[in-house]
């Protein structure tokens, strides 16, 4: 692998090994894990290189797929993200998510699903949406060198479908585990 190697639970990424104009995304499922990756990269490189982006999975999906492209496919543009507590009952939960959608607010829990609609598919997609989606994936693939996902054990079906589709577009993926400083037991 160019520029990326795993040594036990350690990750080493050197920005000089990333082709010009390309980006490596280091993705984690928690803010603490993203900060841990950021700290390790700064320790290795002296700073966080501009061509290495570290974020949570939700932030990555929103920033790279939903915010720039969702409106092109489905007509609505989200203006902010909500973290309000949703009702536990599925019908009331869906109703609240729909109410938020109607005022262009995306609830954080549906970020993977909406990103999946951009990257992979939604059941009622027409030919125009499918053509636009192919262009979106090609644009992303043009600048994405690699996606490294920490805490891969936390991947759900929507995220798995997104990753499979990105991999089909020849985007290099690495699923790894870098221990968080607060984790007490290693994952085997």
């Amino acid at each position: 692998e160019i520029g990326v190697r795993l040594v036990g639970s350690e990750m080493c990424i050197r920005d000089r090994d990333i082709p010009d104009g390309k980006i490596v995304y280091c993705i984690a499922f928690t803010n603490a894990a993203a900060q841990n990756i950021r700290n390790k990269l700064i320790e290795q490189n002296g700073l966080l290189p501009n061509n290495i982006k570290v974020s949570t999975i939700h932030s990555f999906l929103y920033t790279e797929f939903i915010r720039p492209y969702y409106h092109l496919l489905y007509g609505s543009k989200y203006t902010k993200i909500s973290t309000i507590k949703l009702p536990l009952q599925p019908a009331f939960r869906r109703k609240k998510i729909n109410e938020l959608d109607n005022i262009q607010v995306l609830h954080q829990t549906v970020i993977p699903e909406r990103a999946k609609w951009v990257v992979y598919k939604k059941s009622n997609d027409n030919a125009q949406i499918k053509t636009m989606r192919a262009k979106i994936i090609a644009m992303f693939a043009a600048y994405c060198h690699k996606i490294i996902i920490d805490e891969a054990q936390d991947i759900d079906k929507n995220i798995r479908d997104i990753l499979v589709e990105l991999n089909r577009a020849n985007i290099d993926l690495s699923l790894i585990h870098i221990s968080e400083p607060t984790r007490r037991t290693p994952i085997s």
Side-chain angles (χ1 to χ4, degrees):
E1 297 178 342
I2 299 173
V4 178
R5 63 178 155 62
L6 305 177
V7 182
S9 64
E10 294 295 315
M11 173 180 58
C12 180
I13 303 173
R14 298 175 310 270
D15 70 325
R16 67 179 179 267
D17 295 329
I18 301 169
D20 286 344
K22 295 283 192 166
I23 298 172
V24 169
Y25 292 91
C26 297
I27 311 302
F29 281 82
T30 65
N31 289 326
Q35 187 59 49
N36 186 40
I37 293 169
R38 201 174 282 109
N39 292 343
K40 287 180 184 214
L41 288 168
I42 291 169
E43 184 180 305
Q44 291 168 5
N45 294 288
L47 53 82
L48 186 60
N50 289 335
N51 57 356
I52 299 174
K53 306 290 183 200
V54 180
S55 70
T56 63
I57 188 74
H58 287 85
S59 178
F60 167 72
L61 294 174
Y62 180 76
T63 302
E64 297 301 323
F65 299 109
I66 297 171
R67 186 175 58 205
Y69 302 119
Y70 187 85
H71 69 283
L72 297 174
L73 298 175
Y74 301 110
S76 61
K77 187 167 190 149
Y78 294 107
T79 57
K80 57 186 190 177
I81 296 173
S82 173
T83 59
I84 64 167
K85 186 172 179 165
L86 293 173
L88 296 176
Q89 301 86 356
F92 293 122
R93 182 182 188 88
R94 280 190 304 276
K95 183 177 188 272
K96 187 61 181 175
I97 289 170
N98 287 336
E99 288 172 1
L100 291 170
D101 275 353
N102 290 337
I103 58 170
Q104 298 175 311
V105 175
L106 179 64
H107 195 272
Q108 68 162 356
T109 60
V110 296
I111 287 174
E113 176 188 53
R114 302 302 154 80
K116 176 182 171 180
W117 293 352
V118 172
V119 174
Y120 181 55
K121 69 178 179 178
K122 187 176 176 184
S123 60
N124 60 350
D125 286 344
N126 60 34
Q128 182 181 359
I129 289 174
K130 291 175 184 177
T131 300
M132 179 63 79
R133 178 180 295 116
K135 290 177 183 177
I136 290 167
I137 299 304
M139 283 189 291
F140 180 74
Y143 64 83
C144 178
H145 178 61
K146 182 180 199 80
I147 302 172
I148 301 169
I149 300 145
D150 184 23
E151 303 170 314
Q153 73 279 1
D154 294 333
I155 292 173
D156 68 12
K157 182 181 179 341
N158 287 324
I159 294 169
R160 182 190 59 79
D161 289 344
I162 292 166
L163 295 175
V164 166
E165 196 62 26
L166 293 175
N167 192 247
R168 280 189 193 129
N170 295 316
I171 294 171
D172 192 6
L173 303 173
S174 290
L175 307 177
I176 62 171
H177 173 73
I178 300 172
S179 299
E180 291 182 44
T182 58
R183 190 180 294 276
R184 296 178 197 269
T185 56
I187 295 175
S188 51

